[in-house]
Amino acid sequence: MKYKYKTSIYILGVLLLVISILDKIYWIYMCTKYTDFEETKAAYLSLFPEFIANAFFLTIIDIIVSGIAAIIFYESKKTGYLKRPSKVLMIVSLILCGWSIFSLM
């Protein structure tokens, strides 16, 4: 990672991680609001535009987003740029990625 772009790439990683975290928070919120799975799923999908309002597709997007964030934080840690925060954020990204992969099963 070139020094000139480290901050921009790191901010991109943080934004991708925030997107993944917000997706999980929204799903958990919908789970507390509704008791029936189909109602929960319909309420969750109603947030998204119709062309991506598919649970499988959204899960794949979440896996990709958290995976890219984990790679960005791994590369930042490897180059020594914000080493400790990068390690923590990489672990959080990998946990969220694993959670999404597990939800596909």
PDB file of all heavy atoms in Angstrom, residues 21-38:
ATOM      1  N   ILE A  21     -21.710  -3.494   9.691  1.00  0.00           N
ATOM      2  CA  ILE A  21     -22.222  -3.399  11.072  1.00  0.00           C
ATOM      3  C   ILE A  21     -23.653  -2.871  11.071  1.00  0.00           C
ATOM      4  O   ILE A  21     -24.519  -3.405  11.781  1.00  0.00           O
ATOM      5  CB  ILE A  21     -21.297  -2.511  11.932  1.00  0.00           C
ATOM      6  CG1 ILE A  21     -19.972  -3.224  12.185  1.00  0.00           C
ATOM      7  CG2 ILE A  21     -21.970  -2.138  13.249  1.00  0.00           C
ATOM      8  CD1 ILE A  21     -18.913  -2.353  12.836  1.00  0.00           C
ATOM      9  N   LEU A  22     -23.930  -1.853  10.272  1.00  0.00           N
ATOM     10  CA  LEU A  22     -25.285  -1.305  10.213  1.00  0.00           C
ATOM     11  C   LEU A  22     -26.284  -2.326   9.679  1.00  0.00           C
ATOM     12  O   LEU A  22     -27.429  -2.383  10.138  1.00  0.00           O
ATOM     13  CB  LEU A  22     -25.314  -0.034   9.361  1.00  0.00           C
ATOM     14  CG  LEU A  22     -24.656   1.190   9.978  1.00  0.00           C
ATOM     15  CD1 LEU A  22     -24.656   2.350   8.988  1.00  0.00           C
ATOM     16  CD2 LEU A  22     -25.354   1.582  11.265  1.00  0.00           C
ATOM     17  N   ASP A  23     -25.846  -3.134   8.728  1.00  0.00           N
ATOM     18  CA  ASP A  23     -26.708  -4.191   8.205  1.00  0.00           C
ATOM     19  C   ASP A  23     -27.081  -5.182   9.313  1.00  0.00           C
ATOM     20  O   ASP A  23     -28.247  -5.558   9.453  1.00  0.00           O
ATOM     21  CB  ASP A  23     -26.004  -4.911   7.054  1.00  0.00           C
ATOM     22  CG  ASP A  23     -26.869  -5.981   6.436  1.00  0.00           C
ATOM     23  OD1 ASP A  23     -28.012  -5.679   6.040  1.00  0.00           O
ATOM     24  OD2 ASP A  23     -26.394  -7.132   6.334  1.00  0.00           O
ATOM     25  N   LYS A  24     -26.101  -5.573  10.097  1.00  0.00           N
ATOM     26  CA  LYS A  24     -26.361  -6.506  11.211  1.00  0.00           C
ATOM     27  C   LYS A  24     -27.250  -5.864  12.275  1.00  0.00           C
ATOM     28  O   LYS A  24     -28.154  -6.516  12.798  1.00  0.00           O
ATOM     29  CB  LYS A  24     -25.052  -6.948  11.861  1.00  0.00           C
ATOM     30  CG  LYS A  24     -24.130  -7.710  10.952  1.00  0.00           C
ATOM     31  CD  LYS A  24     -24.703  -9.051  10.591  1.00  0.00           C
ATOM     32  CE  LYS A  24     -23.686  -9.880   9.853  1.00  0.00           C
ATOM     33  NZ  LYS A  24     -23.874  -9.878   8.426  1.00  0.00           N
ATOM     34  N   ILE A  25     -26.999  -4.605  12.589  1.00  0.00           N
ATOM     35  CA  ILE A  25     -27.816  -3.908  13.591  1.00  0.00           C
ATOM     36  C   ILE A  25     -29.266  -3.812  13.121  1.00  0.00           C
ATOM     37  O   ILE A  25     -30.194  -4.035  13.897  1.00  0.00           O
ATOM     38  CB  ILE A  25     -27.234  -2.511  13.898  1.00  0.00           C
ATOM     39  CG1 ILE A  25     -25.945  -2.651  14.696  1.00  0.00           C
ATOM     40  CG2 ILE A  25     -28.232  -1.647  14.653  1.00  0.00           C
ATOM     41  CD1 ILE A  25     -25.183  -1.350  14.875  1.00  0.00           C
ATOM     42  N   TYR A  26     -29.455  -3.507  11.844  1.00  0.00           N
ATOM     43  CA  TYR A  26     -30.810  -3.396  11.315  1.00  0.00           C
ATOM     44  C   TYR A  26     -31.520  -4.749  11.381  1.00  0.00           C
ATOM     45  O   TYR A  26     -32.689  -4.831  11.733  1.00  0.00           O
ATOM     46  CB  TYR A  26     -30.782  -2.862   9.888  1.00  0.00           C
ATOM     47  CG  TYR A  26     -32.152  -2.601   9.338  1.00  0.00           C
ATOM     48  CD1 TYR A  26     -32.941  -1.581   9.855  1.00  0.00           C
ATOM     49  CD2 TYR A  26     -32.681  -3.392   8.322  1.00  0.00           C
ATOM     50  CE1 TYR A  26     -34.214  -1.347   9.370  1.00  0.00           C
ATOM     51  CE2 TYR A  26     -33.956  -3.164   7.836  1.00  0.00           C
ATOM     52  CZ  TYR A  26     -34.711  -2.149   8.362  1.00  0.00           C
ATOM     53  OH  TYR A  26     -35.975  -1.933   7.886  1.00  0.00           O
ATOM     54  N   TRP A  27     -30.812  -5.824  11.043  1.00  0.00           N
ATOM     55  CA  TRP A  27     -31.409  -7.158  11.116  1.00  0.00           C
ATOM     56  C   TRP A  27     -31.780  -7.510  12.568  1.00  0.00           C
ATOM     57  O   TRP A  27     -32.869  -8.015  12.824  1.00  0.00           O
ATOM     58  CB  TRP A  27     -30.475  -8.205  10.527  1.00  0.00           C
ATOM     59  CG  TRP A  27     -31.003  -9.592  10.707  1.00  0.00           C
ATOM     60  CD1 TRP A  27     -30.543 -10.542  11.557  1.00  0.00           C
ATOM     61  CD2 TRP A  27     -32.137 -10.172  10.044  1.00  0.00           C
ATOM     62  NE1 TRP A  27     -31.301 -11.683  11.453  1.00  0.00           N
ATOM     63  CE2 TRP A  27     -32.293 -11.478  10.535  1.00  0.00           C
ATOM     64  CE3 TRP A  27     -33.029  -9.697   9.088  1.00  0.00           C
ATOM     65  CZ2 TRP A  27     -33.298 -12.320  10.097  1.00  0.00           C
ATOM     66  CZ3 TRP A  27     -34.035 -10.560   8.651  1.00  0.00           C
ATOM     67  CH2 TRP A  27     -34.157 -11.840   9.155  1.00  0.00           C
ATOM     68  N   ILE A  28     -30.911  -7.230  13.498  1.00  0.00           N
ATOM     69  CA  ILE A  28     -31.197  -7.515  14.910  1.00  0.00           C
ATOM     70  C   ILE A  28     -32.388  -6.685  15.390  1.00  0.00           C
ATOM     71  O   ILE A  28     -33.251  -7.183  16.114  1.00  0.00           O
ATOM     72  CB  ILE A  28     -29.945  -7.284  15.777  1.00  0.00           C
ATOM     73  CG1 ILE A  28     -28.885  -8.343  15.452  1.00  0.00           C
ATOM     74  CG2 ILE A  28     -30.285  -7.308  17.264  1.00  0.00           C
ATOM     75  CD1 ILE A  28     -27.523  -8.075  16.046  1.00  0.00           C
ATOM     76  N   TYR A  29     -32.445  -5.427  14.978  1.00  0.00           N
ATOM     77  CA  TYR A  29     -33.574  -4.570  15.339  1.00  0.00           C
ATOM     78  C   TYR A  29     -34.879  -5.151  14.806  1.00  0.00           C
ATOM     79  O   TYR A  29     -35.892  -5.192  15.518  1.00  0.00           O
ATOM     80  CB  TYR A  29     -33.359  -3.149  14.812  1.00  0.00           C
ATOM     81  CG  TYR A  29     -34.564  -2.269  14.978  1.00  0.00           C
ATOM     82  CD1 TYR A  29     -34.936  -1.802  16.236  1.00  0.00           C
ATOM     83  CD2 TYR A  29     -35.346  -1.912  13.883  1.00  0.00           C
ATOM     84  CE1 TYR A  29     -36.051  -0.998  16.397  1.00  0.00           C
ATOM     85  CE2 TYR A  29     -36.461  -1.110  14.029  1.00  0.00           C
ATOM     86  CZ  TYR A  29     -36.809  -0.665  15.290  1.00  0.00           C
ATOM     87  OH  TYR A  29     -37.920   0.124  15.442  1.00  0.00           O
ATOM     88  N   MET A  30     -34.866  -5.600  13.559  1.00  0.00           N
ATOM     89  CA  MET A  30     -36.078  -6.195  12.982  1.00  0.00           C
ATOM     90  C   MET A  30     -36.452  -7.490  13.711  1.00  0.00           C
ATOM     91  O   MET A  30     -37.632  -7.788  13.874  1.00  0.00           O
ATOM     92  CB  MET A  30     -35.884  -6.478  11.486  1.00  0.00           C
ATOM     93  CG  MET A  30     -35.944  -5.250  10.644  1.00  0.00           C
ATOM     94  SD  MET A  30     -37.554  -4.462  10.767  1.00  0.00           S
ATOM     95  CE  MET A  30     -37.095  -2.768  10.678  1.00  0.00           C
ATOM     96  N   CYS A  31     -35.479  -8.240  14.154  1.00  0.00           N
ATOM     97  CA  CYS A  31     -35.754  -9.478  14.898  1.00  0.00           C
ATOM     98  C   CYS A  31     -36.406  -9.191  16.246  1.00  0.00           C
ATOM     99  O   CYS A  31     -37.199  -9.997  16.734  1.00  0.00           O
ATOM    100  CB  CYS A  31     -34.474 -10.280  15.105  1.00  0.00           C
ATOM    101  SG  CYS A  31     -33.891 -11.076  13.609  1.00  0.00           S
ATOM    102  N   THR A  32     -36.067  -8.080  16.859  1.00  0.00           N
ATOM    103  CA  THR A  32     -36.683  -7.737  18.144  1.00  0.00           C
ATOM    104  C   THR A  32     -38.081  -7.148  17.956  1.00  0.00           C
ATOM    105  O   THR A  32     -38.900  -7.215  18.861  1.00  0.00           O
ATOM    106  CB  THR A  32     -35.819  -6.733  18.934  1.00  0.00           C
ATOM    107  OG1 THR A  32     -35.691  -5.527  18.186  1.00  0.00           O
ATOM    108  CG2 THR A  32     -34.465  -7.314  19.256  1.00  0.00           C
ATOM    109  N   LYS A  33     -38.340  -6.592  16.787  1.00  0.00           N
ATOM    110  CA  LYS A  33     -39.617  -5.950  16.523  1.00  0.00           C
ATOM    111  C   LYS A  33     -40.694  -6.949  16.097  1.00  0.00           C
ATOM    112  O   LYS A  33     -41.860  -6.763  16.409  1.00  0.00           O
ATOM    113  CB  LYS A  33     -39.415  -4.889  15.442  1.00  0.00           C
ATOM    114  CG  LYS A  33     -40.514  -3.891  15.334  1.00  0.00           C
ATOM    115  CD  LYS A  33     -40.096  -2.780  14.397  1.00  0.00           C
ATOM    116  CE  LYS A  33     -41.243  -1.796  14.266  1.00  0.00           C
ATOM    117  NZ  LYS A  33     -40.921  -0.712  13.367  1.00  0.00           N
ATOM    118  N   TYR A  34     -40.304  -7.983  15.371  1.00  0.00           N
ATOM    119  CA  TYR A  34     -41.245  -8.978  14.850  1.00  0.00           C
ATOM    120  C   TYR A  34     -40.913 -10.356  15.420  1.00  0.00           C
ATOM    121  O   TYR A  34     -39.747 -10.659  15.683  1.00  0.00           O
ATOM    122  CB  TYR A  34     -41.179  -9.044  13.320  1.00  0.00           C
ATOM    123  CG  TYR A  34     -41.532  -7.741  12.648  1.00  0.00           C
ATOM    124  CD1 TYR A  34     -40.546  -6.846  12.257  1.00  0.00           C
ATOM    125  CD2 TYR A  34     -42.856  -7.399  12.434  1.00  0.00           C
ATOM    126  CE1 TYR A  34     -40.863  -5.650  11.643  1.00  0.00           C
ATOM    127  CE2 TYR A  34     -43.190  -6.207  11.826  1.00  0.00           C
ATOM    128  CZ  TYR A  34     -42.194  -5.335  11.431  1.00  0.00           C
ATOM    129  OH  TYR A  34     -42.511  -4.141  10.832  1.00  0.00           O
ATOM    130  N   THR A  35     -41.938 -11.186  15.566  1.00  0.00           N
ATOM    131  CA  THR A  35     -41.705 -12.540  16.074  1.00  0.00           C
ATOM    132  C   THR A  35     -41.694 -13.573  14.957  1.00  0.00           C
ATOM    133  O   THR A  35     -40.967 -14.552  15.035  1.00  0.00           O
ATOM    134  CB  THR A  35     -42.779 -12.923  17.111  1.00  0.00           C
ATOM    135  OG1 THR A  35     -44.073 -12.777  16.522  1.00  0.00           O
ATOM    136  CG2 THR A  35     -42.664 -12.059  18.344  1.00  0.00           C
ATOM    137  N   ASP A  36     -42.480 -13.359  13.909  1.00  0.00           N
ATOM    138  CA  ASP A  36     -42.534 -14.296  12.793  1.00  0.00           C
ATOM    139  C   ASP A  36     -41.371 -14.030  11.837  1.00  0.00           C
ATOM    140  O   ASP A  36     -41.092 -12.875  11.491  1.00  0.00           O
ATOM    141  CB  ASP A  36     -43.872 -14.141  12.062  1.00  0.00           C
ATOM    142  CG  ASP A  36     -44.032 -15.140  10.941  1.00  0.00           C
ATOM    143  OD1 ASP A  36     -43.744 -16.334  11.162  1.00  0.00           O
ATOM    144  OD2 ASP A  36     -44.441 -14.717   9.832  1.00  0.00           O
ATOM    145  N   PHE A  37     -40.705 -15.100  11.394  1.00  0.00           N
ATOM    146  CA  PHE A  37     -39.541 -14.944  10.527  1.00  0.00           C
ATOM    147  C   PHE A  37     -39.899 -14.263   9.210  1.00  0.00           C
ATOM    148  O   PHE A  37     -39.159 -13.402   8.725  1.00  0.00           O
ATOM    149  CB  PHE A  37     -38.878 -16.297  10.259  1.00  0.00           C
ATOM    150  CG  PHE A  37     -37.710 -16.210   9.323  1.00  0.00           C
ATOM    151  CD1 PHE A  37     -36.511 -15.666   9.741  1.00  0.00           C
ATOM    152  CD2 PHE A  37     -37.821 -16.630   8.006  1.00  0.00           C
ATOM    153  CE1 PHE A  37     -35.431 -15.557   8.876  1.00  0.00           C
ATOM    154  CE2 PHE A  37     -36.757 -16.529   7.130  1.00  0.00           C
ATOM    155  CZ  PHE A  37     -35.562 -16.000   7.562  1.00  0.00           C
ATOM    156  N   GLU A  38     -41.029 -14.649   8.622  1.00  0.00           N
ATOM    157  CA  GLU A  38     -41.412 -14.065   7.333  1.00  0.00           C
ATOM    158  C   GLU A  38     -41.709 -12.571   7.456  1.00  0.00           C
ATOM    159  O   GLU A  38     -41.370 -11.791   6.567  1.00  0.00           O
ATOM    160  CB  GLU A  38     -42.606 -14.816   6.751  1.00  0.00           C
ATOM    161  CG  GLU A  38     -42.269 -16.228   6.296  1.00  0.00           C
ATOM    162  CD  GLU A  38     -41.132 -16.287   5.274  1.00  0.00           C
ATOM    163  OE1 GLU A  38     -41.073 -15.431   4.367  1.00  0.00           O
ATOM    164  OE2 GLU A  38     -40.289 -17.195   5.391  1.00  0.00           O
TER     165      GLU A  38
END
